[in-house]
Amino acid sequence: MPSASDQAERPPHWATLQEAGLSAGLWFLYGVYRCGGRWLYRVLLWPVAFYFTLTRGVARRASLEYLERVGVLRADAALPARWWHVTCHIERFADALLDKALVWTGALDLENTQMNIDPRFEAALAGGRGGVLVVAHCGNLEVLRALARGFPQLRLKILVHTRHAERFNRLLKRLNPASAVNLLQVTELDAASAAELSHRVALGEFVVIAADRVPVSGVASHTIAVPFLGRPAPLPIGPWVLAAALDCPVYWLSCLKFGGRYVVQSELLFERIEMPRAQRVAVLTRAMTVYAQRLEAACRAAPYAWFNFYPFWAASAAGNA
């Protein structure tokens, strides 16, 4: 059993972090947008973002480590530059929150969205064949969900853990009740859940799961460390064990914002994931390394768009302690 001192030194788990005031106060910020547009929203947002840079130590330190690893910030950068970049990171997060709200009210213009879709995904969709879509907390999943509504043949079942952001999700539901459709709240997948998802895939649906956060249980054996931005990082094995059990194609899917335009990218990663018991760790490591490479490319393309404000790499050190 870990000692009290070990527990005190252990980095906080992402699911235990309380909602930032940015989420809780989004009604005010949304009202600012309605009154003065995005320019006024951003003007008022900067001092708010800087306030959170000052007061949210965990988020600030996590952002600094990430921004250094992704190449935005030099390790020897002066303090003003370091705090400036963290403020930019938080501001971009808040801007993404606004887009999440706007997309469910129909106020976000998606006409110019660039769709870079793998032809094999299009063929599967046309043929009624389901699969797994692995995503990350990089970009805007709500925009992806809204775009999917324009394709009736694309049926999604999205696995989420949102109990740490209940107020923000209640806000989205008040703006549009459809924002809660097709979400499946999960903490840990059990056999019954896996069977239900297998049935849905067989019917041509796509299971969407984020694969860049350690399990809610925090159990080290449920992760494998793979190279990510220059250092081994713990990633959850659950999405890949599920994908192997579903015996279906696995696609990478992202939705990044460049300027005022979203770019959707899909790519077939694996036709199937076969996982013989004797090769389980090797198969998982290979699959997760491929995923980490796609996530790293996305982070380098849009470095302020990865919204993991907790000690990401430290979780690996804690798990190996």
Side-chain angles (χ1 to χ4, degrees), residues 13 187-189 211 213-225 234-241 280 284 288 319:
H13 191 284
T187 299
E188 298 290 341
L189 281 171
R213 285 187 176 174
V214 297
V216 174
S217 66
V219 178
S221 62
H222 294 175
T223 67
I224 292 177
L235 294 178
I237 66 173
W240 308 100
V241 173
R280 184 174 186 268
L284 285 170
M288 294 162 65

Side-chain angles (χ1 to χ4, degrees), residues 4-321:
S5 61
D6 289 337
Q7 291 177 340
E9 294 174 359
R10 182 168 296 168
H13 191 284
W14 64 266
T16 67
L17 298 177
Q18 296 298 313
E19 286 180 285
L22 284 173
S23 297
L26 194 60
W27 275 120
F28 169 74
L29 294 172
Y30 178 70
V32 168
Y33 169 84
R34 292 289 301 271
C35 293
R38 193 177 289 268
W39 73 270
L40 181 59
Y41 173 85
R42 284 178 170 166
V43 166
L44 295 182
L45 183 59
W46 275 102
V48 176
F50 183 66
Y51 168 79
F52 280 97
T53 300
L54 284 172
T55 60
R56 303 280 176 164
V58 171
R60 181 178 66 249
R61 290 186 292 272
S63 176
L64 284 170
E65 180 180 21
Y66 162 70
L67 293 172
E68 288 179 15
R69 293 193 176 281
V70 81
V72 167
L73 189 64
R74 289 170 45 182
D76 60 351
L79 186 62
R82 296 169 71 80
W83 284 49
W84 165 259
H85 283 288
V86 173
T87 303
C88 289
H89 196 187
I90 294 175
E91 186 273 341
R92 199 65 54 86
F93 170 63
D95 194 60
L97 290 181
L98 177 63
D99 280 358
K100 288 182 179 185
L102 296 181
V103 78
W104 288 111
T105 63
L108 188 66
D109 183 9
L110 299 178
E111 290 297 322
N112 294 324
T113 301
Q114 181 177 328
M115 308 288 285
N116 299 329
I117 306 300
D118 191 315
R120 293 166 292 188
F121 177 77
E122 293 181 325
L125 192 59
R129 300 186 300 274
V132 170
L133 305 176
V134 288
V135 298
H137 294 86
C138 185
N140 203 321
L141 179 59
E142 297 300 328
V143 171
L144 279 174
R145 292 178 59 205
L147 286 169
R149 297 176 68 193
F151 299 88
Q153 70 273 34
L154 179 57
R155 292 168 292 152
L156 304 178
K157 178 57 66 175
I158 303 171
L159 309 188
V160 295
H161 177 85
T162 59
R163 289 173 187 160
H164 65 297
E166 289 179 345
R167 285 176 291 185
F168 178 69
N169 286 283
R170 285 199 299 268
L171 181 153
L172 291 183
K173 192 172 182 179
R174 286 183 64 183
L175 291 175
N176 188 335
S179 67
V181 173
N182 296 331
L183 296 181
L184 177 62
Q185 182 72 239
V186 295
T187 299
E188 298 290 341
L189 281 171
D190 55 21
S193 299
E196 171 63 18
L197 294 174
S198 178
H199 174 66
R200 291 183 177 275
V201 169
L203 293 176
E205 296 187 26
F206 287 84
V207 175
V208 182
I209 185 168
D212 62 335
R213 285 187 176 174
V214 297
V216 174
S217 66
V219 178
S221 62
H222 294 175
T223 67
I224 292 177
V226 298
F228 176 61
L229 292 175
R231 180 179 170 185
L235 294 178
I237 66 173
W240 308 100
V241 173
L242 175 64
L246 296 181
D247 191 32
C248 63
V250 181
Y251 302 86
W252 160 259
L253 186 63
S254 67
C255 183
L256 302 176
K257 191 176 185 180
F258 298 94
R261 183 186 194 188
Y262 277 100
V263 177
V264 175
Q265 184 82 33
S266 78
E267 178 188 355
L268 178 66
L269 298 184
F270 307 102
E271 287 284 359
R272 296 286 189 279
I273 297 179
E274 298 181 1
M275 197 178 300
R277 182 179 296 273
Q279 301 175 27
R280 184 174 186 268
V281 173
V283 171
L284 285 170
T285 301
R286 174 177 173 269
M288 294 162 65
T289 298
V290 170
Y291 170 81
Q293 291 169 346
R294 300 306 186 277
L295 176 57
E296 181 168 327
C299 289
R300 293 193 184 280
Y304 292 113
W306 193 51
F307 305 130
N308 272 332
F309 293 99
Y310 73 99
F312 187 77
W313 287 269
S316 179
N320 295 328

